[in-house]
Amino acid sequence: MKGLKRLGMIAFLILLTALPALADKASSLYSRGKDAEDRQNYEQAYDLYKQAYDLKPKDLRYRAAFERSKLYAAAAKVHRGQTLRDAGKLAEALAEFEAARQIDPSNFVAQQEAQRTRKLLDDAQKGLPPQTNLNQPKLSERVAQAAGPVELAPISQAPITLKLVEDSKNIYETIGKLAGINVLFDPDYTSRRIRIELNGVTLEQALHIVALESHTFWRPITPNTIYVAQDSQAKRNDLEQQVLRTFYLGNLSASTEIQDVTNTLRTILRLERVQQLPSQNAIVVRGTPDQVAMAEKLINDIDKARPEVVVDVAVMQVQKEKLRNLGITPPFSTSQNPTIQLQSNTSSSTNSSSSTSSSTSTSSTGSINLNDLANLDARNFVLTIPAVTVTALANDSNTKVLENPQVRALDGQKATLKIGQRVPIATGSFSGTSGVSGLGINPLVNTQFQYTDVGVNIEITPHIHMNRDVTLKISMEISSIVQYQNIGGVNQPIIGQRKIEHEIRLREGEVNMLGGILEETESQSMTGIPWLSSVPILKYLFGQSSKDHVNNEIVFALTPHVVRAVDLSELNTRAIDVGTSNVVQVRMTPQAAAAPAQQPATPQQTPLQAPPLATPQSAPAQQPPPTTAPAPAPNQPSPVQPQASTQQPGTVQQAAVTPPAGADLGRMGTGPLLSFDPPLINQPAGATFTINVNLTGAKNVSSVPAQIVYDPAVLQLVRVDSGEMLSRDGQTAALVQREDPSGGMVQVTLTRPPSTMGINGDGTVFRLTFMAKAAGKGIIAINRSVLRDPNQQTTEVAGSQAVVTVR
């Protein structure tokens, strides 16, 4: 029994020892959990709170923290799972969602995400494509894949030179064939005969000129197809493209500002479908591509960040005061000082029979018995002489106040700065009907208070000019409480103020001093006995002199600093051609229209696309013949193979002349041949001569594009004329040329009208007129060329060269 008691005692002691340890551990876990929660590490906080709650489940503090952290920890797990799922880690994401469900079984979002991720895993196992957004409708996919406005992308960017008097429909088709685009016509289109002269214009310019002459308009429906219709408002409404665009404003936010932008678009561009969305700070525009492009320009011009200026304000106040009091102040009256008072002194004695005597004396001031009037003497009067004040005081005070605030304001927006106090001023209104008449009762008083700003009050409205000058509309006030005055039983403050309001224009960094608010007060006074206080020296013995000199000056200094100016580009300020008053059109510059021609040649480009040029060299007889590309498929343009060159960057490069070996002056094989007539030319310097380009072996030829190179150091091209071969049946052939004089290259194309038959046989295609510039030997060569039939099928043609000797 004793052993059992001893064991129970030991267990009890161990339990008593363990309880404080458990309590300390739970408190430590709770403290660590609180620290983790402060760092927003909710999952770790949840684990620590849970351990503390398990150790002491009856402690409400631990239970509250445990229940609170469940929500945040589950939300953190869900967020991590969504991140993993977006990264494609579906298994890890599902584990996070399941962990969130275990932490907080009531979290419905965790259950939804777990089901959705489990379905994605099942689809992946079945080999279905992953879909991270199952709720995305098909229409959203169509919107995401929607194309922008159609941009015309012709095959050839060569400048067009065309002189025709022909039916407008044929002219459209001719330009289309030259540029490699398809031309479709509206069923209601009415053709008319017009005269066109085009010299080195781009495709866009050529189409615009023809449309202007024929009163038609065109619109691209694919990158290589245009649709032509009669120019009328009804046709434009039916056929013109419509573009939808949402513009989000970055700087304008007020409803009035957005309304101003909307009104500008409607007035300037005649946009009927413009909707403003102030809640999203956006504007939705629907119109033609040119209208939307101009709307974008206008919004970019208007939606600019407002300029800002920082104004350094220095308020300097200097107050000086000198005070001097000197002299003796004597008594000035006898009514108060000096005073004479009557004093009564009486005495009485009493004798008794017991041989004891006693005497009593009484005195009083200002009172006397009538019996004592006969015995009055000097001892009955007391004289009180007033005091004499001697003053010698000098006071010299110097006070300086400096306030240097900085005010930053937007252009046109008022900035206010108040430094000081707000002082209440009582205002009352009496109500006569509230009193009781005839009983002496005052009517009720309703007292109200208004607060006035006292101190430094500054209001600045800046306007920043384009040259960074700043116009400031300023109101500056310095006020203080001077004294109080009792008005109607209420002490009202009397406020002294110095205020200035004006408008000035300053340069950036220019300091403007606003002085002149100067107050100077000087007062002198003399107090003393008349006449004696006027004696020059004795006046200080019989009087007191006071002199007070106060000088108070306030100076304002303003210095503007522009911290954000108007950000304007060249596009914001230059004028742009926008068409007519009825139709908004954006026309590209020739440089922009010809920009695609600078890109490397691709298989979709025709021989009209000129390759890089190099200085022509005399072809040696042993040079191998050029490698020709395989014939293209029907209705496809002939590919152009760019030639490699080792010429330095920045120089004009010309295709090397590679005539067939041994056939410089003769014909190659039995196929069609372009040759020069005459092949040998001898001319003096300064002379002008003509050389023909003849075509032999032609079959059903409708168009002849050719690239001709020459030595620009020896020869100068004067002009190119069309031959009679493609016009022998009376049809007018269109000639298009593009010349590079510095590189010694000319790209020429002679084309018969569309819907006409081809030409067979031999004849002259081009006539080239040159001028002999300098002595030497130059070569004229046909670098590359093909023949086209009316169906745009191509046939390879051999070229030749001519030798020109200039003496």
Side-chain angles (χ1 to χ4, degrees):
M1 293 296 294
K2 292 181 180 181
L4 292 175
K5 291 180 180 180
R6 186 178 295 109
L7 290 176
M9 185 62 68
I10 293 172
F12 179 72
L13 294 175
I14 293 175
L15 181 60
L16 291 177
T17 307
L19 286 177
L22 291 175
D24 293 340
K25 185 176 181 181
S27 178
S28 176
L29 291 172
Y30 176 79
S31 300
R32 291 167 56 192
K34 189 175 181 180
D35 182 66
E37 186 177 7
D38 293 339
R39 297 195 305 271
Q40 297 184 354
N41 191 351
Y42 299 112
E43 299 176 35
Q44 183 182 2
Y46 167 77
D47 295 335
L48 295 172
Y49 286 151
K50 185 176 184 303
Q51 296 179 30
Y53 173 69
D54 292 340
L55 291 176
K56 299 188 69 175
K58 294 184 179 181
D59 194 325
L60 296 180
R61 182 180 56 171
Y62 300 155
R63 181 178 179 180
F66 167 66
E67 295 293 341
R68 183 183 68 252
S69 62
K70 287 170 58 176
L71 175 64
Y72 297 107
K77 289 284 188 182
V78 170
H79 178 69
R80 184 180 292 107
Q82 292 172 344
T83 304
L84 292 173
R85 184 183 59 200
D86 294 340
K89 302 177 182 180
L90 300 179
E92 298 178 10
L94 181 60
E96 293 292 338
F97 294 140
E98 293 295 342
R101 293 179 57 186
Q102 293 179 2
I103 293 175
D104 187 6
S106 63
N107 194 321
F108 185 71
V109 176
Q111 298 177 11
Q112 285 183 325
E113 296 294 338
Q115 294 176 1
R116 180 180 175 185
T117 307
R118 192 175 291 107
K119 185 178 184 305
L120 291 176
L121 281 173
D122 295 340
D123 293 343
Q125 293 176 357
K126 294 177 183 179
L128 298 177
Q131 298 180 0
T132 57
N133 190 359
L134 300 178
N135 298 325
Q136 182 180 8
K138 297 299 182 181
L139 290 179
S140 298
E141 297 179 2
R142 291 177 60 86
V143 172
Q145 299 173 1
V150 179
E151 296 289 342
L152 193 61
I155 295 176
S156 173
Q157 294 288 352
I160 297 176
T161 300
L162 184 63
K163 298 179 180 180
L164 283 177
V165 179
E166 188 60 68
D167 187 81
S168 59
K169 186 174 182 180
N170 292 337
I171 294 178
Y172 267 118
E173 291 178 344
T174 301
I175 295 175
K177 291 184 180 299
L178 292 176
I181 61 174
N182 304 317
V183 182
L184 304 179
F185 295 92
D186 186 74
D188 298 333
Y189 174 77
T190 301
S191 181
R192 55 186 298 182
R193 190 176 184 82
I194 60 175
R195 182 176 184 274
I196 292 296
E197 291 188 6
L198 306 177
N199 295 310
V201 298
T202 63
L203 174 63
E204 299 274 351
Q205 294 172 340
L207 294 176
H208 175 68
I209 293 173
V210 175
L212 189 63
E213 289 282 344
S214 61
H215 299 285
T216 58
F217 78 97
W218 59 274
R219 56 153 292 193
I221 55 177
T222 66
N224 64 341
T225 305
I226 63 173
Y227 191 87
V228 182
Q230 202 69 29
D231 191 1
S232 64
Q233 190 62 40
K235 283 295 181 181
R236 286 186 175 273
N237 294 337
D238 294 339
L239 299 177
E240 281 189 326
Q241 296 184 70
Q242 292 290 306
V243 178
L244 182 66
R245 173 78 183 275
T246 302
F247 297 96
Y248 291 92
L249 305 179
N251 300 288
L252 305 180
S253 57
S255 299
T256 55
E257 295 174 339
I258 300 177
Q259 183 64 44
D260 291 342
V261 176
T262 303
N263 295 338
T264 302
L265 296 180
R266 289 173 177 168
T267 304
I268 301 300
L269 301 178
R270 293 191 175 184
L271 282 170
E272 299 179 356
R273 298 175 177 87
V274 182
Q275 182 64 41
Q276 57 179 342
L277 300 174
S279 60
Q280 299 295 326
N281 204 30
I283 296 177
V284 181
V285 177
R286 178 186 172 187
T288 65
D290 291 342
Q291 285 179 319
V292 175
M294 285 294 97
E296 181 178 5
K297 180 198 180 301
L298 285 179
I299 291 177
N300 291 335
D301 294 344
I302 299 172
D303 188 22
K304 297 289 186 181
R306 285 191 177 185
E308 291 185 66
V309 61
V310 172
V311 181
D312 290 333
V313 182
V315 181
M316 295 168 283
Q317 181 178 5
V318 179
Q319 183 176 5
K320 297 180 180 181
E321 181 178 2
K322 291 184 178 182
L323 176 63
R324 188 193 66 181
N325 289 331
L326 183 62
I328 299 175
T329 305
F332 300 110
S333 65
T334 59
S335 60
Q336 297 179 356
N337 293 314
T339 60
I340 302 176
Q341 296 181 352
L342 180 61
Q343 182 174 358
S344 176
N345 296 323
T346 61
S347 62
S348 61
S349 61
T350 303
N351 297 327
S352 61
S353 58
S354 61
S355 66
T356 302
S357 63
S358 63
S359 64
T360 304
S361 65
T362 63
S363 65
S364 62
T365 303
S367 63
I368 190 172
N369 295 327
L370 294 177
N371 295 330
D372 296 334
L373 291 176
N375 301 321
L376 291 177
D377 54 14
R379 293 176 298 178
N380 295 107
F381 295 93
V382 177
L383 176 62
T384 304
I385 300 175
V388 176
T389 305
V390 179
T391 304
L393 175 63
N395 184 13
D396 188 356
S397 63
N398 191 343
T399 304
K400 295 181 180 179
V401 179
L402 174 63
E403 296 180 1
N404 189 16
Q406 282 187 340
V407 180
R408 180 166 180 167
L410 289 173
D411 181 35
Q413 299 295 320
K414 183 173 68 174
T416 303
L417 176 65
K418 298 181 183 294
I419 303 174
Q421 300 174 341
R422 304 197 70 192
V423 178
I425 299 177
T427 59
S429 60
F430 296 89
S431 177
T433 59
S434 301
V436 181
S437 61
L439 299 180
I441 301 176
N442 292 329
L444 299 179
V445 179
N446 182 17
T447 303
Q448 299 175 352
F449 291 91
Q450 295 180 352
Y451 287 86
T452 301
D453 295 315
V454 176
V456 179
N457 301 322
I458 302 174
E459 292 183 356
I460 298 178
T461 303
H463 176 65
I464 303 172
H465 302 274
M466 296 300 298
N467 60 351
R468 300 179 72 89
D469 285 0
V470 181
T471 297
L472 299 176
K473 185 177 182 181
I474 305 170
S475 174
M476 305 185 68
E477 176 185 340
I478 304 294
S479 58
S480 61
I481 299 176
V482 179
Q483 62 182 359
Y484 287 88
Q485 184 176 359
N486 191 291
I487 302 176
V490 180
N491 287 332
Q492 298 281 27
I494 297 178
I495 299 174
Q497 68 174 1
R498 296 171 180 85
K499 186 175 182 180
I500 182 172
E501 292 184 0
H502 66 158
E503 188 169 351
I504 58 176
R505 178 164 177 168
L506 302 174
R507 295 180 180 272
E508 182 184 9
E510 180 181 356
V511 180
N512 182 63
M513 302 294 292
L514 305 179
I517 307 180
L518 176 64
E519 179 184 2
E520 185 173 358
T521 304
E522 185 173 356
S523 60
Q524 295 182 359
S525 63
M526 184 68 186
T527 305
I529 300 175
W531 300 293
L532 294 178
S533 60
S534 301
V535 179
I537 298 176
L538 298 179
K539 64 180 181 179
Y540 295 107
L541 298 177
F542 300 97
Q544 181 178 352
S545 174
S546 177
K547 184 177 181 181
D548 189 5
H549 187 190
V550 179
N551 191 340
N552 191 0
E553 182 180 5
I554 298 178
V555 177
F556 300 94
L558 300 177
T559 308
H561 302 281
V562 178
V563 295
R564 177 178 291 145
V566 181
D567 184 15
L568 295 179
S569 62
E570 187 270 339
L571 182 61
N572 298 136
T573 56
R574 70 181 178 92
I576 295 179
D577 184 5
V578 294
T580 64
S581 61
N582 295 325
V583 180
V584 175
Q585 289 181 329
V586 178
R587 299 185 180 92
M588 300 177 62
T589 60
Q591 294 81 2
Q598 305 300 326
Q599 299 176 356
T602 59
Q604 285 74 25
Q605 293 173 316
T606 64
L608 288 175
Q609 196 84 11
L613 304 179
T615 304
Q617 302 291 337
S618 298
Q622 67 273 15
Q623 186 172 1
T627 303
T628 58
N635 298 326
Q636 295 294 329
S638 175
V640 178
Q641 300 296 333
Q643 299 182 6
S645 175
T646 59
Q647 190 164 353
Q648 296 297 327
T651 60
V652 181
Q653 191 180 13
Q654 180 177 343
V657 180
T658 55
D664 296 22
L665 308 178
R667 179 172 174 176
M668 280 291 299
T670 58
L673 172 67
L674 284 174
S675 59
F676 291 101
D677 182 26
L680 296 175
I681 301 174
N682 192 333
Q683 294 288 335
T688 302
F689 62 92
T690 301
I691 184 171
N692 297 331
V693 179
N694 297 332
L695 174 62
T696 56
K699 295 181 180 180
N700 196 22
V701 175
S702 177
S703 176
V704 181
Q707 184 184 92
I708 301 173
V709 295
Y710 57 92
D711 189 352
V714 178
L715 303 174
Q716 177 181 349
L717 180 64
V718 177
R719 69 176 183 271
V720 179
D721 299 319
S722 59
E724 69 281 356
M725 178 177 178
L726 298 186
S727 303
R728 63 177 55 171
D729 58 349
Q731 298 291 339
T732 302
L735 177 65
V736 178
Q737 73 178 61
R738 171 189 164 194
E739 183 185 1
D740 182 7
S742 60
M745 184 275 295
V746 59
Q747 186 92 28
V748 292
T749 302
L750 189 63
T751 306
R752 288 171 57 81
S755 304
T756 57
M757 297 180 60
I759 296 296
N760 299 324
D762 305 334
T764 301
V765 183
F766 309 110
R767 287 188 175 88
L768 308 178
T769 302
F770 288 93
M771 183 184 72
K773 291 175 58 177
K777 180 177 291 186
I779 294 179
I780 306 174
I782 298 175
N783 190 32
R784 57 172 67 114
S785 178
V786 294
L787 304 179
R788 292 183 180 176
D789 60 12
N791 296 325
Q792 296 300 305
Q793 293 184 359
T794 58
T795 302
E796 294 294 329
V797 60
S800 63
Q801 69 178 16
V803 179
V804 180
T805 303
V806 180
R807 58 183 187 276

